[in-house]
Amino acid sequence: MSSIRQIISIGELARRADCKPETVRYYERIGLLRDALRTEGGQRRYGEDAVRRLTFIRHARDFGFSVEAVRELLAMSDQPDMPCQEVDAIARHHLEKVESHLQRLSALRDELQRMITQCAGGKVENCRIIEVISDHQLCISENAHGGSRLAQGVPSVD
Amino acid sequence: MSSIRQIISIGELARRADCKPETVRYYERIGLLRDALRTEGGQRRYGEDAVRRLTFIRHARDFGFSVEAVRELLAMSDQPDMPCQEVDAIARHHLEKVESHLQRLSALRDELQRMITQCAGGKVENCRIIEVISDHQLCISENAHGGSRLAQGVPSVD
DNA sequence: CTAAACCTTGTAGCAACTACAGCTTCAAGT
DNA sequence: ACTTGAAGCTGTAGTTGCTACAAGGTTTAG
């Protein structure tokens, strides 16, 4: 817990947390990671604590937490004495979003599957996919989970 | 099908396709919508064809298709004689992405639910949420669906 | 005819990175 | 000890898909 040796380069750190050095520098710049110790030549050196912190950040980001949410989570975990109500609140809020995304995504999956089975190698003229997108019924299920503007909030899956 | 009267203003068009005038102008600029006819004073005027096209674009975007994918779909639907193999391919490719996102998101939902039930108002020190994020097992399921770099591709749910 | 509501262009901003360019430093081999 | 090549440095600009101004011009309803 206390024997932190700063021996890891930024590239090694990035590799261990499955991201890129640029991302590490970016996180430092925006204050998610503390300023690293430097070698005489000015290169960053990290310890295991940084690996843990960065891994936490990457996991939280992968989970879909925004950078600001991650910042809050980190601030909280930096003060282990505070009650975790807030952490709970963030998680609950997040769960709601995740569940509505899940609904929309699974509706989309069903449509795509329907598209693919129905588009049996004809011409575009008769292609159900274009049709399904044009007047898709998903709008109904979109409105079913709250009615407000969520059109922009869908995961991009290019 | 052929009686197109250019009577709709950009605001009206945007309202009908559930987006904003800025978005319409943006789509025009990047070439998803054709240049609109103008009034003497220089304002854009549209017909029902534009409503359909824009609605298609918005739906496709809501479905999670990238702008480039939408561009391809539009190009295809503009040539109804071509075989729809390509449309099919795009949809299949898309389906894969959607399914992996679904897996990740539902794993996340389970974790969040677990977090919330286990974080029963204690202190951050004992908070399972931080812990779960720190060394979550989702990494395993991440690797299960292909093993390649998908970490960046997760929906943001802030 | 006037005033509100709408439209115009152009530019800048947002998140969350990512990618350069042009240079310096480090580590490993000889 | 010296060289070489990979990796690191800073700073800036690009990415995607919009969104938000500012500073004016046009339309339309009363």
Side-chain angles (χ1 to χ4, degrees), chain B residues 125-142:
Chain B
E125 202 169 13
N126 313 310
C127 183
R128 294 276 306 150
I129 294 179
I130 304 285
E131 209 179 306
V132 166
I133 295 176
S134 288
D135 35 74
H136 79 260
Q137 301 300 307
L138 191 66
C139 299
I140 294 154
S141 60
E142 268 168 39

Side-chain angles (χ1 to χ4, degrees), chain A residues 100 103-104 139-151, chain B residues 18:
Chain A
S100 84
Q103 277 182 22
R104 291 162 63 82
C139 298
I140 295 154
S141 61
E142 268 169 37
N143 295 337
H145 60 69
S148 66
R149 292 290 309 106
L150 274 163
Chain B
D18 196 21

Side-chain angles (χ1 to χ4, degrees), chain A residues 17-79:
Chain A
D18 197 20
C19 66
K20 301 183 177 180
E22 285 93 337
T23 310
V24 176
R25 285 190 281 260
Y26 171 69
Y27 287 158
E28 182 183 299
R29 208 162 63 236
I30 66 171
L32 285 193
L33 293 174
R34 306 179 193 93
D35 288 8
L37 295 185
R38 302 289 186 128
T39 62
E40 296 223 336
Q43 298 194 355
R44 291 168 180 84
R45 287 297 179 268
Y46 301 91
E48 292 299 329
D49 56 334
V51 177
R52 275 196 302 279
R53 193 176 177 95
L54 180 55
T55 304
F56 178 91
I57 296 169
R58 289 309 308 160
H59 284 169
R61 294 284 304 116
D62 283 356
F63 265 165
F65 290 91
S66 72
V67 164
E68 284 321 301
V70 174
R71 199 190 296 280
E72 289 176 48
L73 290 171
L74 283 171
M76 285 185 244
S77 73
D78 286 344
Q79 303 181 26

Side-chain angles (χ1 to χ4, degrees), chain A residues 76-146:
Chain A
M76 285 185 244
S77 73
D78 286 344
Q79 303 181 26
D81 283 343
M82 80 186 299
C84 68
Q85 278 182 7
E86 280 183 56
V87 181
D88 189 78
I90 292 179
R92 273 176 204 279
H93 177 74
H94 203 59
L95 180 59
E96 275 177 42
K97 303 267 191 165
V98 166
E99 282 185 331
S100 84
H101 268 175
L102 268 173
Q103 277 182 22
R104 291 162 63 82
L105 265 186
S106 59
L108 168 54
R109 183 197 47 202
D110 296 348
E111 283 303 336
L112 283 170
Q113 267 161 353
R114 199 155 71 76
M115 285 175 186
I116 288 164
T117 52
Q118 292 188 359
C119 167
K123 288 188 177 180
V124 168
E125 204 168 12
N126 312 310
C127 184
R128 293 278 305 151
I129 294 180
I130 303 284
E131 211 180 306
V132 166
I133 294 176
S134 288
D135 34 74
H136 79 261
Q137 300 301 306
L138 190 66
C139 298
I140 295 154
S141 61
E142 268 169 37
N143 295 337
H145 60 69

